[in-house]
Amino acid sequence: MLPRAKSILTPLQRIYLDYAATTPVDERVLMSMSEFMLEKFGNPSSLHSYGREARGGIDAARRSIARMLNCRVEEVHFTSGGTEADNLALIGYAKANHHRGEHIVISGVEHSAVRSAAEALSAQGFRIGIAEPDAFGMIAPEAVECALESETILVSVMHANNEVGTINPLGAIGAILKPRGIAFHTDAVQSFGKIPVDVQALGVDMLSLSGHKIYGPKGIGAIYIRDGIQIEPRQLGGHQESGIRPGTENLSGIVGLGVAASLAESAMAEESNRMKSLRDELHARILDHIEDAGLNGHSDARLPGHLNLSFHGIDGEALLVALDLEGVAASSGSACASGSQEPSSTLLAMGVPRELAQASLRLTLGRSTTAEDVGYAARIIVDNVTRLR
Ligand code: PLP
């Protein structure tokens, strides 16, 4: 039999620059999970030693998350991920508090989990106000203030944007909302584990986070709910997670999330500096050859691993496919929106012209990214942009 020719679709080298979409599971996380799948597999509600062992794993994970968020352990509830946490925060809060008012404000750059939850509430009679971003994707406190009404009961503004990485001034927004008695939710799925996320400093009442963005498993996340905030559960059943999220716990997922969070916390300062310098190096190398590559997002108030660029005259999807053929995995817009031909609603809301929004490329760096990766990726990006133009 003849040896099979190597497919032209298999690049020699593969470089993953899509860490904002998801991350691989850290081996130490995997080890902790397998321990709770193979040995300490009990039902956390059981009273025997197997159950107690399992409960111990959940308690430890809750303590890790609570320490990082600077909240009480009872205020952390595990969910199936960021999407469920966002849904619980918006719909759960709105349902439990509609007697106080039926107006909710979200920002104009939210993830689809928040946007879709707000749309569902709008179909049920709630009115939705939008706080629009500035040209850097930032939600100014004044923009939130402008969107408020006397009936507003809840505001949801993400901590850091998934597409452009811009970090929002949540502390200043919280300071506007608190005296008015308006609850404040933030989607911290992209920021948790990468920059400090302290619920007291940020002044938030509810916060969503997810495991698979921080080298934990997919399908696990958590919601912080400040003591005293009323939420109507989205599903009914047992007593687990204080009844807010009933159902036998995803034991290994929760343990994995706890370990992933602790690892992210201990490496945060060093990793953040390393990532920023690699990201800026990647940007500089691209700019060396393509002077008009425009940065989308804030130059300083930005997640350390995020680089979103627009290359005029290029179709973003065509560029992505070309890069993939040469082994560079990147993204245009958010992962959930890619595949659709519509340009990113976040970029459009920021005032990026349609043509440039369609020509955008999101590169997100992570723990395994090296200086060699950055050099290789920059060369491939420059070559392909030049060729496509
Ligand atoms: N919110 C933001 C900002 C995200 O980036 C994502 C994931 O892409 C989510 C929510 C959804 O989280 P999950 O995938 O855990 O449901």
Side-chain angles (χ1 to χ4, degrees), residues 20-21 80-84 86 110-114 158 160-162 187-190 208-213 219-221 334-336 362:
S80 66
T83 300
E84 186 187 341
D86 285 343
E110 291 302 311
H111 186 268
S112 54
V114 166
M158 69 200 321
N161 183 262
N162 45 308
D187 175 335
V189 166
Q190 290 290 341
S208 309
L209 60 92
S210 174
H212 72 101
K213 311 286 186 183
I220 189 72
S334 71
C336 312
R362 181 184 74 174

Side-chain angles (χ1 to χ4, degrees), residues 30-357:
L30 185 60
M31 299 285 285
S32 70
M33 291 176 70
S34 73
E35 186 187 350
F36 278 82
M37 283 196 257
L38 300 172
E39 294 158 37
K40 302 181 176 173
F41 59 84
N43 187 322
S45 299
S46 298
L47 296 178
H48 46 61
S49 64
Y50 289 85
R52 290 199 304 276
E53 237 165 30
R55 172 63 53 205
I58 292 186
D59 290 347
R62 210 186 302 279
R63 279 197 299 275
S64 295
I65 307 283
R67 190 185 56 237
M68 273 175 86
L69 295 179
N70 191 20
C71 69
R72 298 190 7 225
V73 286
E74 306 80 44
E75 294 174 315
V76 176
H77 308 275
F78 295 108
T79 65
S80 66
T83 300
E84 186 187 341
D86 285 343
N87 273 265
L88 256 176
L90 269 84
I91 302 179
Y93 186 85
K95 290 258 171 104
N97 293 279
H98 65 96
H99 56 278
R100 295 178 42 229
E102 297 202 322
H103 185 251
I104 287 166
V105 171
I106 66 169
S107 89
V109 295
E110 291 302 311
H111 186 268
S112 54
V114 166
R115 276 190 284 127
S116 301
E119 276 163 26
L121 287 170
S122 150
Q124 290 167 35
F126 282 85
R127 287 173 302 103
I128 311 296
I130 305 289
E132 293 295 353
D134 64 15
F136 307 107
M138 191 175 278
I139 309 299
E142 300 75 40
V144 173
E145 198 161 18
C146 275
L148 298 179
E149 291 185 4
S150 58
E151 284 240 314
T152 309
I153 56 167
L154 172 67
V155 168
S156 182
V157 175
M158 69 200 321
H159 191 194
N161 183 262
N162 45 308
E163 293 185 47
V164 295
T166 299
I167 301 166
N168 285 313
L170 296 192
I173 296 172
I176 292 173
L177 303 179
K178 198 173 169 121
R180 302 181 200 219
I182 299 171
F184 188 18
H185 165 253
T186 191
D187 175 335
V189 166
Q190 290 290 341
S191 58
F192 181 73
K194 296 173 194 153
I195 57 173
V197 177
D198 175 328
V199 293
Q200 315 306 338
L202 298 177
V204 294
D205 301 301
M206 291 178 281
L207 179 144
S208 309
L209 60 92
S210 174
H212 72 101
K213 311 286 186 183
I214 58 163
Y215 309 87
K218 295 172 178 58
I220 189 72
I223 181 169
Y224 154 76
I225 304 174
R226 190 182 289 281
D227 187 26
I229 293 281
Q230 297 303 315
I231 288 275
E232 191 179 294
R234 305 285 300 134
Q235 69 190 51
L236 304 174
H239 56 276
Q240 293 93 343
E241 299 304 299
S242 316
I244 282 170
R245 212 298 186 147
T248 302
E249 297 89 338
N250 174 358
L251 175 61
S252 60
I254 292 172
V255 168
L257 170 59
V259 173
S262 296
L263 291 170
E265 185 181 32
S266 52
M268 193 183 291
E270 197 182 322
E271 203 34 31
S272 162
N273 286 336
R274 195 185 71 87
M275 214 112 82
K276 253 187 229 162
S277 84
L278 284 176
R279 175 197 71 188
D280 293 344
E281 173 71 18
L282 177 59
H283 192 186
R285 282 184 183 230
I286 294 172
L287 283 179
D288 275 349
H289 299 273
I290 307 172
E291 281 170 18
D292 60 351
L295 176 69
N296 297 313
H298 203 279
S299 57
D300 301 320
R302 183 157 45 110
L303 289 175
H306 257 74
L307 182 62
N308 188 314
L309 300 171
S310 279
F311 302 99
H312 83 84
I314 295 283
D315 173 39
E317 296 283 335
L319 178 59
L320 271 192
V321 173
L323 294 181
D324 186 40
L325 283 176
E326 298 203 50
V328 176
S331 143
S332 68
S334 71
C336 312
S338 59
S340 72
Q341 290 293 41
E342 273 304 295
S344 145
S345 60
T346 294
L347 295 181
L348 293 180
M350 287 163 56
V352 175
R354 219 178 159 79
E355 181 255 329
L356 279 179

